[in-house]
Amino acid sequence: MKLSNFNFNLPKELLAEFPAENRDESRLMVVNRKTKTIEHRLFKDILEYFDEGDVMVLNNTKVFPARLYGNKEKTGARIEVFLLRELNSEQRLWDVLVDPARKIRIGNKLYFGDDDSLVAEVIDNTTSRGRTLRFLYDGSYEEFRNKLTELGETPIPKYINREVVPEDAERYQTIYAKEEGAVAAPTAGLHFSKHLLKRLEIKGINFAEITLHVGLGTFNPVEVEDLSKHKMDSEELMIKQEACDIVNKAKLNKKRVCAIGTTVMRAMESSVSSQKTLNPYVGWTNKFIFPPYDFSVADCMVTNFHTPKSTLLMMISAFMGHDLMKKAYEEAVNEKYRFYSYGDAMLIL
């Protein structure tokens, strides 16, 4: 499989700028891998495809307001700082991306907030846009984190070509988000409403939670024609024993295990035993799934509609089969499904 196998024409107007009015009323394309059939439903109809004892695996990561705007000392130039990950909480060191990067050198200071109440010093260059910052702030660690939250903005993806609105803080977050650490939402989960989760629970569907802190690498384009040469960014992953027990029991009882999103699929495939059971895990994963690939845990998945040439599309191709994926995406474009983070969903059975 080559990169060029994953290109397709996506009309600009199919990029979702805003989410559906109600989370569970986005559209749902249901694709059956056995029968090669495609149905068009609403997301809340997902209830009809699952039975008592089936398990949905959710990624409970929580997006933090990772985008800050500051001013460079002396010149006052406006600089965007995107927080990627905390390196050291005591020293308040962070791995960040800066824009425009050419102006930001080691030793520069950046000032944030109208009153310059937060200052950061650039202490290292990591990549062309990457820097290590040390934040200088007088208060406690908790006050410092609160300050970041106060000054930060919801990091909706760059391709959403509009200003951030207050609703984004709620809608670019799953309703089951708990563990803060992601800079992008696990978007398949955005379609679940409290009401729908309750109805699934009443029907006897079980839920297992894992945590994979989604990084910006999710959006990194693949730039090599030979997919085996692409390197994924590492992302932090936690799978607890409790989640493993729920998933492994379902598999033992021949019940379905559904991965809610590519992040969940990647997380589970990163920690599998030779018996194809899920193992606990704490660490990092840079697993890249592309065809051909033999999946071990989930037998169905929910996912959004992804960009041409993206690693996410490659995983979907590996799971669905390439020809069926192409057919489904062609139909999605013809039927004007909404694409990307705030777009519609697909259930692959």
Side-chain angles (χ1 to χ4, degrees):
M1 277 288 175
K2 299 272 189 280
L3 177 63
S4 43
N5 294 126
F6 296 92
N7 203 7
F8 64 94
N9 189 25
L10 181 61
K12 270 230 161 31
E13 67 272 15
L14 297 186
L15 288 190
E17 296 266 306
F18 290 92
E21 195 173 338
N22 297 314
R23 284 180 187 267
D24 58 15
E25 288 183 349
S26 50
R27 292 165 75 192
L28 177 69
M29 178 186 280
V30 183
V31 183
N32 188 310
R33 293 179 293 166
K34 272 205 188 89
T35 59
K36 307 277 192 276
T37 51
I38 294 175
E39 293 178 85
H40 304 290
R41 308 293 298 264
L42 288 180
F43 193 80
K44 59 188 177 186
D45 301 332
I46 198 168
L47 195 66
E48 296 172 27
Y49 294 89
F50 291 90
D51 299 314
E52 189 176 342
D54 288 343
V55 171
M56 289 185 173
V57 187
L58 311 173
N59 182 1
N60 66 10
T61 187
K62 189 174 183 181
V63 179
F64 65 95
R67 194 175 272 132
L68 301 170
Y69 292 96
N71 297 96
K72 191 179 164 191
E73 63 177 338
K74 297 192 180 100
T75 66
R78 188 176 194 237
I79 305 294
E80 179 189 310
V81 172
F82 197 101
L83 302 173
L84 290 177
R85 60 177 72 93
E86 186 173 46
L87 300 173
N88 183 314
S89 56
E90 271 174 44
Q91 295 182 33
R92 295 179 189 169
L93 293 183
W94 281 76
D95 211 355
V96 306
L97 294 177
V98 292
D99 196 25
R102 64 183 189 283
K103 297 180 173 178
I104 304 302
R105 299 193 175 90
I106 293 172
N108 286 161
K109 283 199 171 71
L110 302 171
Y111 292 85
F112 302 92
D114 297 336
D115 52 357
D116 296 345
S117 53
L118 182 64
V119 182
E121 185 180 0
V122 182
I123 61 168
D124 197 10
N125 286 346
T126 50
T127 61
S128 58
R129 288 182 56 211
R131 302 289 184 272
T132 303
L133 296 189
R134 177 186 283 119
F135 283 97
L136 312 169
Y137 185 74
D138 286 343
S140 66
Y141 178 71
E142 196 181 338
E143 288 168 327
F144 164 65
R145 288 302 298 240
N146 289 342
K147 193 71 182 170
L148 286 184
T149 302
E150 175 200 321
L151 294 173
E153 194 178 84
T154 303
I156 61 172
K158 276 282 199 217
Y159 59 72
I160 294 181
N161 204 3
R162 61 168 172 82
E163 291 292 306
V164 172
V165 294
E167 293 79 58
D168 287 318
E170 183 216 343
R171 292 301 300 272
Y172 195 62
Q173 194 82 272
T174 63
I175 58 165
Y176 46 78
K178 288 193 191 97
E179 307 291 338
E180 194 169 80
V183 298
T187 54
L190 297 179
H191 305 282
F192 287 89
S193 62
K194 282 198 171 75
H195 181 63
L196 178 58
L197 280 182
K198 196 76 205 151
R199 288 175 67 203
L200 287 161
E201 209 177 292
I202 290 166
K203 193 170 179 181
I205 314 302
N206 295 319
F207 297 97
E209 293 186 9
I210 58 98
T211 307
L212 182 122
H213 291 318
V214 191
L216 270 193
T218 291
F219 303 116
N220 276 358
V222 180
E223 287 167 341
V224 284
E225 182 65 11
D226 177 354
L227 300 185
S228 63
K229 293 192 165 49
H230 177 70
K231 286 269 184 293
M232 292 285 276
D233 277 11
S234 289
E235 293 171 321
E236 202 172 355
L237 169 62
M238 280 148 286
I239 303 175
K240 293 183 176 163
Q241 185 66 54
E242 184 190 354
C244 298
D245 293 345
I246 294 168
V247 168
N248 294 335
K249 183 183 167 193
K251 286 183 75 68
L252 199 63
N253 294 333
K254 302 277 189 282
K255 297 293 183 185
R256 272 201 301 209
V257 175
C258 184
I260 305 300
T262 54
T263 62
V264 169
M265 188 66 94
R266 208 164 75 248
M268 293 198 294
E269 292 295 320
S270 297
S271 189
V272 172
S273 75
S274 53
Q275 278 80 45
K276 299 200 167 188
T277 55
L278 187 60
N279 288 338
Y281 187 90
V282 176
W284 295 77
T285 178
N286 62 352
K287 191 166 188 66
F288 176 28
I289 297 174
F290 59 95
Y293 184 86
D294 188 16
F295 290 83
S296 299
V297 187
D299 29 41
C300 51
M301 76 182 293
V302 173
T303 186
N304 277 27
F305 289 92
H306 306 295
T307 37
K309 296 186 177 179
S310 62
T311 58
L312 309 174
L313 187 62
M314 291 161 193
M315 182 196 292
I316 301 309
S317 163
F319 191 67
M320 284 175 86
H322 196 69
D323 291 342
L324 185 57
M325 182 275 288
K326 282 176 77 165
K327 178 184 165 188
Y329 266 66
E330 221 167 274
E331 186 138 343
V333 170
N334 290 339
E335 294 288 330
K336 300 203 169 5
Y337 273 75
R338 288 148 40 89
F339 276 66
Y340 300 0
S341 302
Y342 273 151
D344 295 315
M346 179 190 276
L347 169 61
I348 307 168
L349 296 170

PDB file of all heavy atoms in Angstrom, residues 94-106:
ATOM      1  N   TRP A  94       7.560  23.046  29.470  1.00  0.00           N
ATOM      2  CA  TRP A  94       6.582  22.524  28.508  1.00  0.00           C
ATOM      3  C   TRP A  94       7.200  22.426  27.121  1.00  0.00           C
ATOM      4  O   TRP A  94       7.997  23.265  26.707  1.00  0.00           O
ATOM      5  CB  TRP A  94       5.360  23.451  28.434  1.00  0.00           C
ATOM      6  CG  TRP A  94       4.406  23.265  29.560  1.00  0.00           C
ATOM      7  CD1 TRP A  94       4.567  23.706  30.845  1.00  0.00           C
ATOM      8  CD2 TRP A  94       3.139  22.606  29.513  1.00  0.00           C
ATOM      9  NE1 TRP A  94       3.472  23.353  31.597  1.00  0.00           N
ATOM     10  CE2 TRP A  94       2.581  22.683  30.818  1.00  0.00           C
ATOM     11  CE3 TRP A  94       2.434  21.954  28.503  1.00  0.00           C
ATOM     12  CZ2 TRP A  94       1.338  22.128  31.121  1.00  0.00           C
ATOM     13  CZ3 TRP A  94       1.196  21.407  28.803  1.00  0.00           C
ATOM     14  CH2 TRP A  94       0.661  21.498  30.101  1.00  0.00           C
ATOM     15  N   ASP A  95       6.770  21.400  26.420  1.00  0.00           N
ATOM     16  CA  ASP A  95       7.053  21.204  25.012  1.00  0.00           C
ATOM     17  C   ASP A  95       5.948  21.950  24.261  1.00  0.00           C
ATOM     18  O   ASP A  95       4.765  21.668  24.493  1.00  0.00           O
ATOM     19  CB  ASP A  95       6.893  19.690  24.757  1.00  0.00           C
ATOM     20  CG  ASP A  95       7.804  19.208  23.675  1.00  0.00           C
ATOM     21  OD1 ASP A  95       8.476  20.042  23.071  1.00  0.00           O
ATOM     22  OD2 ASP A  95       7.816  17.983  23.441  1.00  0.00           O
ATOM     23  N   VAL A  96       6.298  22.883  23.372  1.00  0.00           N
ATOM     24  CA  VAL A  96       5.267  23.688  22.691  1.00  0.00           C
ATOM     25  C   VAL A  96       5.615  23.855  21.211  1.00  0.00           C
ATOM     26  O   VAL A  96       6.746  23.587  20.782  1.00  0.00           O
ATOM     27  CB  VAL A  96       5.137  25.103  23.320  1.00  0.00           C
ATOM     28  CG1 VAL A  96       4.893  25.018  24.823  1.00  0.00           C
ATOM     29  CG2 VAL A  96       6.370  25.972  23.035  1.00  0.00           C
ATOM     30  N   LEU A  97       4.616  24.301  20.446  1.00  0.00           N
ATOM     31  CA  LEU A  97       4.860  24.782  19.079  1.00  0.00           C
ATOM     32  C   LEU A  97       4.632  26.289  19.089  1.00  0.00           C
ATOM     33  O   LEU A  97       3.711  26.769  19.767  1.00  0.00           O
ATOM     34  CB  LEU A  97       3.880  24.144  18.094  1.00  0.00           C
ATOM     35  CG  LEU A  97       3.993  22.643  17.861  1.00  0.00           C
ATOM     36  CD1 LEU A  97       2.897  22.183  16.909  1.00  0.00           C
ATOM     37  CD2 LEU A  97       5.360  22.271  17.311  1.00  0.00           C
ATOM     38  N   VAL A  98       5.450  27.040  18.352  1.00  0.00           N
ATOM     39  CA  VAL A  98       5.257  28.490  18.287  1.00  0.00           C
ATOM     40  C   VAL A  98       5.049  28.920  16.840  1.00  0.00           C
ATOM     41  O   VAL A  98       5.548  28.295  15.910  1.00  0.00           O
ATOM     42  CB  VAL A  98       6.462  29.258  18.896  1.00  0.00           C
ATOM     43  CG1 VAL A  98       6.531  29.045  20.391  1.00  0.00           C
ATOM     44  CG2 VAL A  98       7.771  28.864  18.235  1.00  0.00           C
ATOM     45  N   ASP A  99       4.300  30.000  16.674  1.00  0.00           N
ATOM     46  CA  ASP A  99       3.989  30.499  15.342  1.00  0.00           C
ATOM     47  C   ASP A  99       3.851  32.025  15.422  1.00  0.00           C
ATOM     48  O   ASP A  99       3.072  32.491  16.243  1.00  0.00           O
ATOM     49  CB  ASP A  99       2.671  29.860  14.875  1.00  0.00           C
ATOM     50  CG  ASP A  99       2.458  30.003  13.388  1.00  0.00           C
ATOM     51  OD1 ASP A  99       3.449  30.133  12.654  1.00  0.00           O
ATOM     52  OD2 ASP A  99       1.284  29.989  12.960  1.00  0.00           O
ATOM     53  N   PRO A 100       4.568  32.828  14.652  1.00  0.00           N
ATOM     54  CA  PRO A 100       5.594  32.429  13.687  1.00  0.00           C
ATOM     55  C   PRO A 100       6.891  32.028  14.400  1.00  0.00           C
ATOM     56  O   PRO A 100       7.347  32.729  15.300  1.00  0.00           O
ATOM     57  CB  PRO A 100       5.790  33.707  12.863  1.00  0.00           C
ATOM     58  CG  PRO A 100       5.386  34.825  13.763  1.00  0.00           C
ATOM     59  CD  PRO A 100       4.350  34.279  14.694  1.00  0.00           C
ATOM     60  N   ALA A 101       7.459  30.908  13.978  1.00  0.00           N
ATOM     61  CA  ALA A 101       8.586  30.318  14.700  1.00  0.00           C
ATOM     62  C   ALA A 101       9.905  31.039  14.438  1.00  0.00           C
ATOM     63  O   ALA A 101      10.772  31.077  15.311  1.00  0.00           O
ATOM     64  CB  ALA A 101       8.710  28.845  14.324  1.00  0.00           C
ATOM     65  N   ARG A 102      10.051  31.630  13.253  1.00  0.00           N
ATOM     66  CA  ARG A 102      11.365  32.192  12.908  1.00  0.00           C
ATOM     67  C   ARG A 102      11.777  33.320  13.854  1.00  0.00           C
ATOM     68  O   ARG A 102      12.949  33.655  13.978  1.00  0.00           O
ATOM     69  CB  ARG A 102      11.368  32.669  11.449  1.00  0.00           C
ATOM     70  CG  ARG A 102      10.419  33.810  11.169  1.00  0.00           C
ATOM     71  CD  ARG A 102      10.380  34.206   9.703  1.00  0.00           C
ATOM     72  NE  ARG A 102       9.603  35.434   9.551  1.00  0.00           N
ATOM     73  CZ  ARG A 102       8.265  35.459   9.592  1.00  0.00           C
ATOM     74  NH1 ARG A 102       7.582  34.340   9.764  1.00  0.00           N
ATOM     75  NH2 ARG A 102       7.618  36.610   9.472  1.00  0.00           N
ATOM     76  N   LYS A 103      10.776  33.910  14.534  1.00  0.00           N
ATOM     77  CA  LYS A 103      11.087  35.046  15.424  1.00  0.00           C
ATOM     78  C   LYS A 103      11.459  34.621  16.839  1.00  0.00           C
ATOM     79  O   LYS A 103      11.844  35.438  17.661  1.00  0.00           O
ATOM     80  CB  LYS A 103       9.857  35.972  15.523  1.00  0.00           C
ATOM     81  CG  LYS A 103       9.450  36.603  14.220  1.00  0.00           C
ATOM     82  CD  LYS A 103       8.242  37.501  14.417  1.00  0.00           C
ATOM     83  CE  LYS A 103       7.932  38.269  13.128  1.00  0.00           C
ATOM     84  NZ  LYS A 103       6.731  39.108  13.272  1.00  0.00           N
ATOM     85  N   ILE A 104      11.281  33.329  17.138  1.00  0.00           N
ATOM     86  CA  ILE A 104      11.404  32.900  18.533  1.00  0.00           C
ATOM     87  C   ILE A 104      12.689  32.113  18.742  1.00  0.00           C
ATOM     88  O   ILE A 104      12.838  31.000  18.250  1.00  0.00           O
ATOM     89  CB  ILE A 104      10.172  32.056  18.941  1.00  0.00           C
ATOM     90  CG1 ILE A 104       8.888  32.835  18.694  1.00  0.00           C
ATOM     91  CG2 ILE A 104      10.253  31.626  20.404  1.00  0.00           C
ATOM     92  CD1 ILE A 104       8.806  34.162  19.427  1.00  0.00           C
ATOM     93  N   ARG A 105      13.618  32.747  19.499  1.00  0.00           N
ATOM     94  CA  ARG A 105      14.930  32.126  19.715  1.00  0.00           C
ATOM     95  C   ARG A 105      15.157  31.839  21.192  1.00  0.00           C
ATOM     96  O   ARG A 105      14.480  32.391  22.062  1.00  0.00           O
ATOM     97  CB  ARG A 105      16.021  33.055  19.188  1.00  0.00           C
ATOM     98  CG  ARG A 105      15.878  33.309  17.683  1.00  0.00           C
ATOM     99  CD  ARG A 105      17.127  33.953  17.101  1.00  0.00           C
ATOM    100  NE  ARG A 105      16.977  34.062  15.640  1.00  0.00           N
ATOM    101  CZ  ARG A 105      16.440  35.126  15.038  1.00  0.00           C
ATOM    102  NH1 ARG A 105      16.022  36.160  15.746  1.00  0.00           N
ATOM    103  NH2 ARG A 105      16.341  35.149  13.720  1.00  0.00           N
ATOM    104  N   ILE A 106      16.149  30.997  21.466  1.00  0.00           N
ATOM    105  CA  ILE A 106      16.492  30.678  22.858  1.00  0.00           C
ATOM    106  C   ILE A 106      16.825  31.975  23.588  1.00  0.00           C
ATOM    107  O   ILE A 106      17.540  32.840  23.067  1.00  0.00           O
ATOM    108  CB  ILE A 106      17.686  29.690  22.905  1.00  0.00           C
ATOM    109  CG1 ILE A 106      17.243  28.328  22.328  1.00  0.00           C
ATOM    110  CG2 ILE A 106      18.211  29.511  24.326  1.00  0.00           C
ATOM    111  CD1 ILE A 106      18.356  27.324  22.140  1.00  0.00           C
TER     112      ILE A 106
END
